[in-house]
Amino acid sequence: MARIVDDDQRMFMTGNEVLAWAALAAGAEIMYGYPITPQNEIMHYWTRLAPRFERGFLQTEDELSAGFTTLGGVMAGKRAFSATSGPGDILMQEPICMAEMMRIPAVWIIQQRGAPSTATVIYGQQETRLACFGGNGEGHRVVYSTSSHQELFDYLIKAFNTAWSYRFPTILLGDGYQGKMREAVTLYNPEDHGVKLVPTEPFVGRPGVPGVDRAPAHYRNTFNIEEEIYEIVHAREEEFEALTPQIVEFESGYLDEAEMILIGHGIVSRAIKEAVKLLQNKGVKVGYFRPVTLRPFPVEELRKAVEKVPAVMVFESALGQLLSMVKEAVGGLPVKIEAFLRPGVGICTDEAAEQVQEYLRKSSMVH
Amino acid sequence: MARIVDDDQRMFMTGNEVLAWAALAAGAEIMYGYPITPQNEIMHYWTRLAPRFERGFLQTEDELSAGFTTLGGVMAGKRAFSATSGPGDILMQEPICMAEMMRIPAVWIIQQRGAPSTATVIYGQQETRLACFGGNGEGHRVVYSTSSHQELFDYLIKAFNTAWSYRFPTILLGDGYQGKMREAVTLYNPEDHGVKLVPTEPFVGRPGVPGVDRAPAHYRNTFNIEEEIYEIVHAREEEFEALTPQIVEFESGYLDEAEMILIGHGIVSRAIKEAVKLLQNKGVKVGYFRPVTLRPFPVEELRKAVEKVPAVMVFESALGQLLSMVKEAVGGLPVKIEAFLRPGVGICTDEAAEQVQEYLRKSSMVH
Amino acid sequence: MHTKIAVAGEGGQGVQSIGEILAEAANRSGLETTYMPNFGVEQRGGVSIAFVQISDRPIGSPKFKRADVLVVLSPRSVERTRGYVTPGTTVIYDSSSIEAPKIDDMTIGIQSWETLAPEGFADMAGNRPGKGIKGEEVRRDSNVRTVGIPAARIAKEELQPRVFNILILGAILAITKVVTVEAAREAMEHMFREKFAQRPELRDDNFAALERGLSLVETEQAGAGR
Amino acid sequence: MHTKIAVAGEGGQGVQSIGEILAEAANRSGLETTYMPNFGVEQRGGVSIAFVQISDRPIGSPKFKRADVLVVLSPRSVERTRGYVTPGTTVIYDSSSIEAPKIDDMTIGIQSWETLAPEGFADMAGNRPGKGIKGEEVRRDSNVRTVGIPAARIAKEELQPRVFNILILGAILAITKVVTVEAAREAMEHMFREKFAQRPELRDDNFAALERGLSLVETEQAGAGR
Amino acid sequence: MENKTSGSATSESKTGFTTRTVVTPNEAMPKVWRRETKPHRFCPGCGHPIILKALAQAVEELDIQGRTVFGCDIGCSLLAWDFFNLDSIQTHHGRTTPVIAGLKRARPDLIGVAYMGDGGGYAIGSQHLLNAAMRNDRVTVILCNNTVYAMTGGQMAPTTLPTQKTETTPYGRDPAMTGEPTLGPELMAAIGRKGAYAARGTVANYRQLVKFTKKALENQLADRGFSFLEVLSTCPTNWRTTPRQTWDFVEDDMTRVYKVGEFLKPEDEK
Amino acid sequence: MENKTSGSATSESKTGFTTRTVVTPNEAMPKVWRRETKPHRFCPGCGHPIILKALAQAVEELDIQGRTVFGCDIGCSLLAWDFFNLDSIQTHHGRTTPVIAGLKRARPDLIGVAYMGDGGGYAIGSQHLLNAAMRNDRVTVILCNNTVYAMTGGQMAPTTLPTQKTETTPYGRDPAMTGEPTLGPELMAAIGRKGAYAARGTVANYRQLVKFTKKALENQLADRGFSFLEVLSTCPTNWRTTPRQTWDFVEDDMTRVYKVGEFLKPEDEK
Amino acid sequence: MTRGLTTRDVTSRDNKVFEGLVTEAPKGSWTIFPELCKGCGLCIEKCPTDAIRWSTELGAYGSPRVESDMEKCIVCNICAQICPDCAISVKRGPKDPEKSN
Amino acid sequence: MTRGLTTRDVTSRDNKVFEGLVTEAPKGSWTIFPELCKGCGLCIEKCPTDAIRWSTELGAYGSPRVESDMEKCIVCNICAQICPDCAISVKRGPKDPEKSN
Ligand SMILES: Cc1ncc(C[n+]2csc(CCOP(=O)(O)OP(=O)(O)O)c2C)c(N)n1
Ligand SMILES: Cc1ncc(C[n+]2csc(CCOP(=O)(O)OP(=O)(O)O)c2C)c(N)n1
Ligand code: SF4
Ligand code: SF4
Ligand code: SF4
Ligand code: SF4
Ligand code: SF4
Ligand code: SF4
Ligand SMILES: [Mg+2]
Ligand SMILES: [Mg+2]
């Protein structure tokens, strides 16, 4: 793969532009896409950059096609990816669930917008459940939720590596804010940072005549018998669980002695981290926990974090999607679960801090 | 509406045939559909019956079209419905989430099959999460999970009434077993059983010239500003919560003194109910709880049921979709949650009973 | 009372009709009944299985994994349905086309696939290194009764080949007594109303076959048992 | 140090450039910076807002609800951005096209929509009987500083109409000191490299406007304040 | 159309003619346009509202305002969701055809108009367009051909001209890689359903546009068959054109590739 | 093809000729058919495997077994997922075209064949088929026209003949309500991309079918353009026909509506 | 019927009026509606007699609007037909429409 | 590369052989493969000389298979071409292919 920058290079650019560069750095060979706000600029930058780096691009007739052409590209042995949002994300679930069943290591970037339906083109964390569990059920995929331009870059590279290491479709989950805002990022060649790109392999079209020199590769997603599906789903689940320690990622801080832990993912985690620092400066004992992988979800890690804490507060720009995951994860522990849910709108540092203080004031009055 | 039977009539037929009759009884005026196993026979019977009862039918080019033509039919003021399964269910989420946003009272029948991807055409409860929470997020819908042919009939009538009473898209969630098996059912005219059909109203095409005699009806699903979505989603949530006591349904039995409560929905609830009776006959103190509405989920009712019980066991033909909902619902209670998960395969009375006895034996050894 | 019956055979043998008549008759007798065909992606070919349950209390899953009565009408269907055999199962087979099925300790309870799939697909599926369903155990005690009925031969020689399945039905009724002969007759009258009306000789043929099936058991049962 | 700046004006006024230059300059000064335009479904029309944050610590949400510095360049943008005003906000406005904004107790903190939407859409949205965001409160104490700059007039009369926005930028720098003039100049050199190379007079015009904006504040600031 | 002049202030114009101020419902604006929502949300120089003006005029002339339902797509057509004094449904991207087709099946007495962009009609919704045409659904589809995905910022559409620069063809559309432009009415003519109507109009010829629009509606009124009208339109925002360039692009560049006229009339038959 | 006769038992046939038993790889079966998976899973008398025999023969004659990738749809075509000694991908219903088109873009050296039913191609996947044709994607699409949705039990397809009874047209297809049959190759010809190929073959004319299949592959080999082949096929299971009726339906009824032949040759151009 | 539906709360009558500047000439009158004119310039290019020019006054978006030179104008109505915003109204005939009533 | 992929575990060589019944006549030989013949009857209808008829033996699905009357057969190969299951092989020419080798 060609080096994309001479040396580490600090840039000030939009998140969508970062992603186009990250895909180049990750060695992505072809993008398949259909326009939808707020991810369009990934395509715009990619179509400008791709010819310079000899990468491919195909604009398709819809997201179904974008997703299925991506699967074709991956099965041809290429690092292929697509990007979408909102209503396009719904359609993309059809190819994603075929990728789950057939273990096709395709990569998707999802920049969440408002929901449900066409809603707004701007921002939200309302596609979290869809990104993690979309499709007709029980497939396995990896979902990284990023919070900064640097993470967009780092984790898109990682997403390709995860996909091709474990053969689970992999999603990078961002949002419209991340796509459209500008902030600083350092672009680099992965090898300069000791990151090796996991090699790809063709599923079909390998050398040799099938049936003569080698067995033909026969891929399918249909089964005739109920018990086959039972076996496949269970086997996948076991494999996914076994791999979880390798894949799962989270970030936390100030957990010791915390009276409350703030939980948030993606860009909201920036606000809660800052809020925690703010409160700590004021002497308020609070910590934070941020799942970086939403699938697999850092269940054990979260349980450990909240074990000794009286309460957590979940922050999300959604009506309780992360909240569901948290509730499920901490089930059985005595921790009280509060939530600050702002479907479709951003959460600022100040208001996060205010919410926590308000809660602590009220609950101390009760005690 | 024409009477569909002279008098209550006991029949022995397949579930898909029951549904065609139920739609007639519910006064459904037009069906839009695309073939997919295991729901095809609904269409087959409907196309045979519809002309006799002057109802309409349109076979479309795909499920997207089936869903969106259904929305057109409903907005024209007709009781319109569609039916699907599996991969078609994924596609149907696009129109369903438009229905959520625009409060279009369309009715869908979903006969679950194996998952993920094309999988099997037979059976599963793996589309439970999709049926309840599909789409790009946070829309509101009502989901009834049926367990017998009689319920298919009763609840499809109810589904139309719920949809048109509250203007939430409504789903009747069955499965391939229910669709394909034969058992006894009593068909009746709703009015004979005191069931009134909620009247419909056109969204568009009402009498009068818009802008002259009356205001035009302008429906949209797109908003320009983040805060609008915030408001809409929150307002819907409040409304849905307020309506929950009216809509929510569950079934339970033998809860008193139970050492364990068995939880299951849909056809699996038949097995657990029978298992409970079997065990009770043997003197084992167990009860059961079955959510009939999966959305809204009977959270309060379940919490009340399990409050004083040491353990519950969730049974489902899926990898933990109902389990997630149960975990979320009972969060904070000290109850232990066990599960018997059989993705894509049926659960029999005997094995349910065995599982419970096994668990109770083991846990009594521990005590 | 709760009887689980599986009837298995080749596509053209009319096993689904047997299941349907049994279920219809039970339903008419006021019993709880479910009938379910198996189905897969293919339209034709392979072993066809009918699952019937008849009970005096509500029925759980419409499929089951152990049969009280297993009827097998072709060699392939024997292979396909071994898994349904459990201690206590009565196996009824067509002794004119199948050797007495070897039911021994090793075959009882073995995991097998339920399917109507044509060979290639189903075999391939069976060949996968399946790990079996959790909690499944091979049962080692066997208490299985087998009854051979030379149904194909008798149907061909004495009656008509096409009433083969009704002859089997008669035998099932005689052996299991899950429904009365009258109920079965009524069910047939109801289900084949139009056909019987058009061609009354069909009624006679079928009812003769039913009788012959019933009487066959009385004469041959002892010999075929194990 | 954490400064939240919102710049609002009509589509053609170059508010996004102001935001971009500020952000670029801050970034070049080694500060944490985010810049975000607002965007909606339409391609054009309506009030355009640039959101910039400059801080010495990591930044949370790239949008915010209360601005430390609010720059409003057209009458419509005053209406649209009232909600960003909070005690402590500095409001900079173009006094040649806008009357001194009436900032009173009642307008501070009022909920308004962030949008670049053309009138019809946005107005309609504003007209909806919105219930506001929970936890929102109208703040009653006001401690707002307003600074009027006759930027449009000066740009037209003394400079070029097209450097109107850079003149405003100069004023922002003078008033807020969020970044140094040198940093802003460097940012412009970087961002307009190609344009400046092609038409060097552009550089001179822009830098002149920047200077004029800086100097303007020194002379007019006191008068415009409230 | 009554034009109440409710206020007037007279001034001498530079050219010597009198200029008065009148306050009026504006009779240049069709009554079917909802005045309350004007000025509308389309960009300056956008062709969409010209198409919608022709539609309004046709509805007015055919006197079907009381039974016409207007459906618009996602794409700039959505900006028309409250544009008319017509019952209107804004649908999903590409899905206006099935929504209106479904409505028409349920209420054949209504006149269903499905309005969409070239991306919505020829790309993501092409299965619906094609199959509604095949079924000869009694609906009127009007498709705005502006050679780009306008609302998302100007990406290549199926109608983008060869060598045309867009956000996803920054070096110009290369037909060898992305194909030649889609010709909708020609395709409809090839499908050639009995009683169907297919034409291509242009915002550069307003009179003809009204005529084609009327025919596309009349065909539905007469219950003859599917009606399809593509209209060559403008998007100065994404084209980044001056008014002169805008017209040149429509009248020269586009018209070279897209022939204006009627391609299938209800009388024709295959 | 070598035909090793590894065992033989001779008997006198009734007509006086000798009948021997041979054990052989069966040279009537193309080498590209995977013997291990035969007998295949299609019903007795199904036309699918005849089409797949022609495909195998064409692949063999063009000597491209080593670089052909076979994609099949959901529909009875999925039964071919392990049919060939070819790398094969069974995809989703209607999505074979994009999977193979995506593969071809990524690996232009491969020969991509997308095989599907008439439901998969003309209904749920029609946007893909249409747009791949518009883009002139260098893939070969082979579509089995059996006038029904076969795998789901025989519902109306876009290709169902007028008055034909299916599970969803129990009283016969009424073109006034459901449209006339879809004519695929004719549509492709109307799109008329330079270098594209469109033809309709029939299982009733095997030699011609092989010829058309070869041309559809050669066109991709020559990198000229999109290649489309519809094949009139049989579905005795859902038609509920005897062998005689099966042939009559294909050769008479279907061929009256569906003309067999080549509709667009790479030389032709629009 | 509007429970929870996303329909606008609109009055049934659509009575909005616009302010128009009518310039009258013997051939007819030409009216511009400044609050509607977005200054797209399309009419300028379409006028067969080059009668339309930019005004110094502003239109709907704070951008310049157009005006017509009635010496040149032949009241052909093309500008009005083509205006995407219905910002022009052209009337042939009697100098003052009011007087003719 | 097959970690977790739903590909079949197949041997690379495809060596399966079938049992064929060859009937030889002077014009050539006609082979039926009983385990492949599903008894669809398509060949019977297509044979130009009505040479094919039902056999009393069973084929692949336990349904009757076909056989050819070599008196009538003109070894035109149509039946073989049309057989969906490749259950027929036809060879023109020397009575015994083995002898000709
Ligand atoms: C399923 C889905 N995919 C993509 C989008 C994003 N989207 C919104 S508008 C649009 C482009 C519309 O282009 P066109 O149909 O040509 O209409 P125009 O804006 O050009 O008038 C797209 C792709 C969406 N809203 N939904
Ligand atoms: C998205 C989706 N919708 C529907 C189906 C159900 N389905 C499976 S096969 C089939 C019919 C296929 O018909 P056709 O494409 O004509 O192929 P044939 O079986 O006739 O060869 C359908 C509708 C599916 N699997 N996926
Ligand atoms: S972006 Fe183009 S199509 Fe959309 S409103 Fe503006 S000019 Fe019209
Ligand atoms: S159902 Fe029809 S198309 Fe499918 S395999 Fe059987 S004969 Fe062939
Ligand atoms: S066409 Fe209309 S909007 Fe455009 S400049 Fe002329 S009058 Fe103004
Ligand atoms: S009416 Fe005709 S001549 Fe007069 S300004 Fe308009 S276009 Fe020009
Ligand atoms: S065509 Fe083939 S399968 Fe059918 S009967 Fe003839 S030999 Fe047998
Ligand atoms: S080879 Fe020709 S003549 Fe001989 S059986 Fe076959 S079709 Fe008939
Ligand atoms: Mg467009
Ligand atoms: Mg078909």
Side-chain angles (χ1 to χ4, degrees), chain H residues 32 36-44 54 66 82-85 87-88:
Chain H
I32 180 81
L36 291 173
C37 175
K38 291 180 185 153
C40 70
L42 290 189
C43 55
I44 297 183
W54 294 111
V66 297
I82 224 66
C83 173
D85 285 84
I88 301 175

Side-chain angles (χ1 to χ4, degrees), chain C residues 27-168:
Chain C
N27 177 55
R28 292 176 163 263
S29 313
L31 293 163
E32 296 280 338
T33 315
T34 61
Y35 153 74
M36 176 131 90
N38 67 342
F39 57 101
V41 283
E42 288 93 357
Q43 285 293 304
R44 278 180 67 177
V47 170
S48 174
I49 312 177
F51 298 90
V52 177
Q53 293 181 74
I54 298 172
S55 182
D56 48 15
R57 51 165 222 260
I59 293 166
S61 172
K63 276 200 186 174
F64 45 82
K65 293 191 314 204
R66 306 279 151 63
D68 298 312
V69 180
L70 172 65
V71 184
V72 282
L73 304 178
S74 75
R76 286 205 309 182
S77 59
V78 176
E79 296 310 310
R80 195 61 49 75
T81 54
R82 280 190 192 287
Y84 294 95
V85 180
T86 189
T89 303
T90 299
V91 179
I92 303 174
Y93 69 99
D94 174 31
S95 59
S96 53
S97 65
I98 316 176
E99 310 252 313
K102 283 192 213 88
I103 306 287
D104 59 30
D105 289 2
M106 295 309 291
T107 57
I108 294 175
I110 278 180
Q111 181 56 44
S112 80
W113 306 114
E114 308 168 0
T115 178
L116 148 157
E119 287 300 27
F121 209 31
D123 287 350
M124 181 282 315
N127 289 342
R128 292 189 67 248
K131 63 171 183 139
I133 299 222
K134 280 175 191 169
E136 211 56 70
E137 267 170 50
V138 176
R139 298 179 187 217
R140 305 224 153 253
D141 62 318
S142 69
N143 172 21
V144 173
R145 175 182 172 213
T146 58
V147 188
I149 310 285
R153 183 174 54 75
I154 295 176
K156 204 171 160 187
E157 289 171 6
E158 299 179 22
L159 304 155
Q160 321 250 13
R162 68 162 178 268
V163 296
F164 161 79
N165 59 335
I166 303 300
L167 194 144
I168 290 285

Side-chain angles (χ1 to χ4, degrees), chain C residues 10-12 44-45 76, chain F residues 43-45, chain H residues 33-41 54-66:
Chain C
E10 298 302 310
R44 278 180 67 177
R76 286 205 309 182
Chain F
C43 302
Chain H
F33 295 90
E35 63 190 303
L36 291 173
C37 175
K38 291 180 185 153
C40 70
W54 294 111
S55 161
T56 52
E57 305 292 314
L58 298 183
Y61 278 10
S63 42
R65 66 165 171 88
V66 297

Side-chain angles (χ1 to χ4, degrees), chain F residues 150-172:
Chain F
M151 178 158 275
T152 41
Q155 296 81 10
M156 181 184 76
T159 46
T160 297
L161 300 185
T163 77
Q164 185 181 342
K165 285 187 186 173
T166 70
E167 287 293 337
T168 50
T169 56
Y171 310 111

Side-chain angles (χ1 to χ4, degrees), chain D residues 19-181:
Chain D
E20 287 186 69
I21 297 168
L22 275 173
E24 182 72 39
N27 178 55
R28 294 179 160 259
S29 313
L31 293 162
E32 296 280 338
T33 314
T34 60
Y35 153 73
M36 177 132 88
N38 68 342
F39 57 101
V41 282
E42 289 93 357
Q43 284 293 304
R44 277 180 68 175
V47 169
S48 174
I49 312 177
F51 298 90
V52 178
Q53 292 182 74
I54 298 172
S55 182
D56 49 15
R57 50 164 223 260
I59 294 165
S61 172
K63 276 199 186 174
F64 45 82
K65 293 191 313 204
R66 306 280 151 63
D68 299 311
V69 180
L70 173 65
V71 184
V72 281
L73 303 179
S74 75
R76 287 203 309 181
S77 58
V78 176
E79 295 311 309
R80 195 61 49 73
T81 54
R82 281 191 193 286
Y84 293 96
V85 179
T86 188
T89 302
T90 300
V91 178
I92 303 174
Y93 68 99
D94 175 30
S95 58
S96 51
S97 66
I98 316 176
E99 310 251 314
K102 284 195 211 87
I103 307 288
D104 60 30
D105 290 1
M106 293 310 292
T107 58
I108 293 174
I110 279 179
Q111 181 56 42
S112 80
W113 305 113
E114 310 169 358
T115 179
L116 148 158
E119 287 300 25
F121 209 30
D123 287 351
M124 180 281 315
N127 289 342
R128 293 189 66 248
K131 61 168 185 140
I133 298 221
K134 280 174 190 169
E136 211 54 72
E137 267 170 50
V138 176
R139 300 181 187 216
R140 305 225 152 252
D141 62 319
S142 70
N143 173 21
V144 173
R145 176 182 171 213
T146 58
V147 187
I149 309 285
R153 183 174 54 74
I154 295 176
K156 202 170 160 189
E157 290 172 5
E158 298 178 24
L159 304 155
Q160 320 251 11
R162 69 163 176 267
V163 295
F164 162 79
N165 60 336
I166 303 300
L167 194 144
I168 290 286
L169 174 65
I172 297 172
L173 295 185
I175 296 164
T176 67
K177 310 218 159 36
V178 277
V179 293
T180 64
V181 182

Side-chain angles (χ1 to χ4, degrees), chain H residues 29-30 43-44 46-52 67-70 72-80 88 90-91:
Chain H
S29 68
W30 193 95
C43 55
I44 297 183
K46 268 287 177 181
C47 174
T49 63
D50 277 339
I52 312 182
E67 60 188 24
S68 168
D69 178 349
M70 291 312 282
K72 291 187 183 168
C73 174
I74 56 171
V75 289
C76 69
N77 203 39
I78 288 178
C79 54
I88 301 175
V90 179
K91 262 197 193 150

Side-chain angles (χ1 to χ4, degrees), chain B residues 193-207:
Chain B
H193 286 227
V195 177
K196 266 216 195 131
L197 301 186
V198 175
T200 62
E201 269 174 312
F203 286 53
V204 293
R206 282 169 295 140

